[in-house]
Amino acid sequence: MTKIKPKDVIALVTILFIFWMKNNGADGQLDAVLALILGYYFVKRVDKIDRGE
């Protein structure tokens, strides 16, 4: 089982905050930030090339 690291919590909070902002009518570069975070988790983490602690 993998441990939850602080960067995982930060990513989750950021994703939730982005969805909250979009739900309240904010627009702008939120889609790009969301894509960046999701891309990190679905590419780097799945390929196990994440060496960050």
Side-chain angles (χ1 to χ4, degrees), residues 19-38:
F19 280 120
W20 178 79
M21 287 184 64
K22 288 187 75 64
N23 192 34
N24 287 327
D27 202 10
Q29 299 298 322
L30 296 176
D31 292 333
V33 173
L34 183 61
L36 181 69
I37 294 169
L38 293 176

